[in-house]
Amino acid sequence: MSEAATKLLSETLGKTVLIKLRGDKNIRGKLRSFDIHLNIVLDDAEEIRDDGTSKKLGTVVIRGENVVLISPSG
Amino acid sequence: MSEAATKLLSETLGKTVLIKLRGDKNIRGKLRSFDIHLNIVLDDAEEIRDDGTSKKLGTVVIRGENVVLISPSG
Amino acid sequence: MSEAATKLLSETLGKTVLIKLRGDKNIRGKLRSFDIHLNIVLDDAEEIRDDGTSKKLGTVVIRGENVVLISPSG
Amino acid sequence: MSEAATKLLSETLGKTVLIKLRGDKNIRGKLRSFDIHLNIVLDDAEEIRDDGTSKKLGTVVIRGENVVLISPSG
Amino acid sequence: MSEAATKLLSETLGKTVLIKLRGDKNIRGKLRSFDIHLNIVLDDAEEIRDDGTSKKLGTVVIRGENVVLISPSG
Amino acid sequence: MSEAATKLLSETLGKTVLIKLRGDKNIRGKLRSFDIHLNIVLDDAEEIRDDGTSKKLGTVVIRGENVVLISPSG
Amino acid sequence: MSEAATKLLSETLGKTVLIKLRGDKNIRGKLRSFDIHLNIVLDDAEEIRDDGTSKKLGTVVIRGENVVLISPSG
């Protein structure tokens, strides 16, 4: 990651992020940790479905390789 | 993995996890072991289908490359 | 693989396993050998189709990269 | 990246770019940073849908591996 | 490959194999050569289609990365 | 790339090329630069759609990993 | 590639080959050059469509990673 990306995610720790995964999956949750491969731990995560409904997942570990983008604005 | 991810999964050993795999497969089982590539061994695993039914798989070895996310909340 | 995965597969040599491959293919056969990349040789293998029918394949070499999970319970 | 690509993107910092991602996703935003893997940070990003509507995403971190092309002309 | 896989394929040189490729392609032909990446040369190859018909391809070089499994039983 | 590929692309600098990308995308533009990974910068690029219409993209940076083929004949 | 694959392709230089690419694309042309990654330059190439029609592409550079198989029999 560029220094700007690392700084941005560091400032977002503890706050809500929206993560788009491959295969059109959207997960929202509180960013607990991340590494340079974008492996991520979220708290209070939920999967956001296309129809606007969501499913609670609790704490999740996300494999970086599946991450398309992270939106710290949640 | 970040230290937080490793710690989280270590604390989950022996407990039930939900694993989302590529291709929209969901597997639930007791976490027996994992490594840094997210290769995983689950006991009493079952595949959860979209219609809510499940199929028992027993003990399974999951190749890390297929893991999208792990939810220790099961 | 974790030590647990290697041990599990070693104990399964000569026994029947179910292997799920990418692209929703299921292969069942007797585990003759495996390596750390999950390249696998099965004897008496058969492809299990969605409609429950199967097709005999005999001995097969499976490329590890396509393996999603291995269920030693068969 | 070639020197020409790096120079082009450097000159585009702070300006609007259109990014095409795998899976036919289009994101437009102001280029805040990029690295040699094409990991990217955009400000004021929005997802452009096929029907011409868009969804605001705010600041986003995009994983380079998903980038197909970047159009500095926005 | 495991030693067992290499031995199996070595014993199959000159004999007919069925190769399943990604994207549900099936190729049958005489195994002329293979390497550890499962790059393969087949003689008298033909593509086997789902409807049971086949198309002659003659000698072919197959890129290992596309190989899902090799069945020496043909 | 082979020496022949590098030579061919070098001779094509400043001329129009057709690039086929994964996911059946076709881009045409003037080749400004390329590197050994086939990362490419095109000027006056346009996306060519299946129905024969096109969309102007201006200058674009294309990630080599998505390139299927380059046709210097345009 | 195995020595047999390299030898086969070397003997095919200047002759017509059929190349199957990922995503069910078929390209036919005269083999001008290849490297160990199967990056390829074809002259007088044409794309062969499923309905039997073809589209002239002239000289093309093909990225090896997309090659599924090469049939020197054309």
Side-chain angles (χ1 to χ4, degrees), chain F residues 2-5 9 13-14 19 23-26 28 30 45 50 64-65 67 69 71:
Chain F
S2 66
E3 204 180 322
L9 291 178
L13 286 168
I19 298 184
D24 277 321
K25 260 193 188 26
N26 294 302
R28 178 177 281 129
K30 269 185 225 162
D50 281 349
E65 202 186 338
V67 173
L69 70 78
S71 168

Side-chain angles (χ1 to χ4, degrees), chain E residues 21-23 25 27 32-35 37 39-41 47 55 57-63 65-66, chain G residues 1-2 4-5 8-9 18 20 22 24 28 37-38 64-74:
Chain E
L21 301 176
R22 290 191 188 171
K25 260 191 189 26
I27 310 280
R32 186 200 289 192
S33 83
F34 68 93
D35 67 15
H37 306 292
N39 295 313
I40 282 170
V41 180
E47 188 178 344
K55 192 190 153 192
L57 294 170
T59 298
V60 298
V61 177
I62 296 174
R63 213 164 164 270
E65 203 187 337
N66 300 288
Chain G
M1 287 192 288
S2 66
L8 179 62
L9 292 178
L18 174 69
K20 288 181 176 284
R22 290 190 188 173
D24 278 321
R28 179 178 280 129
H37 306 292
L38 288 182
E65 202 186 338
N66 299 289
V67 173
V68 175
L69 70 78
I70 305 175
S71 169
S73 329

Side-chain angles (χ1 to χ4, degrees), chain A residues 3-58:
Chain A
E3 204 180 322
T6 306
K7 187 164 175 288
L8 179 61
L9 291 179
S10 296
E11 292 167 359
T12 310
L13 287 168
K15 297 181 190 152
T16 300
V17 296
L18 175 69
I19 298 183
K20 289 181 175 285
L21 302 176
R22 290 189 188 174
D24 276 322
K25 258 190 191 26
N26 294 303
I27 310 280
R28 178 177 282 130
K30 268 186 227 162
L31 185 62
R32 186 200 289 193
S33 82
F34 67 94
D35 66 16
I36 56 162
H37 307 292
L38 287 183
N39 295 313
I40 283 170
V41 180
L42 293 185
D43 288 312
D44 302 327
E46 52 185 357
E47 188 178 346
I48 314 292
R49 291 176 179 141
D50 281 349
D51 60 6
T53 64
S54 65
K55 190 189 155 193
K56 288 189 188 309
L57 295 170

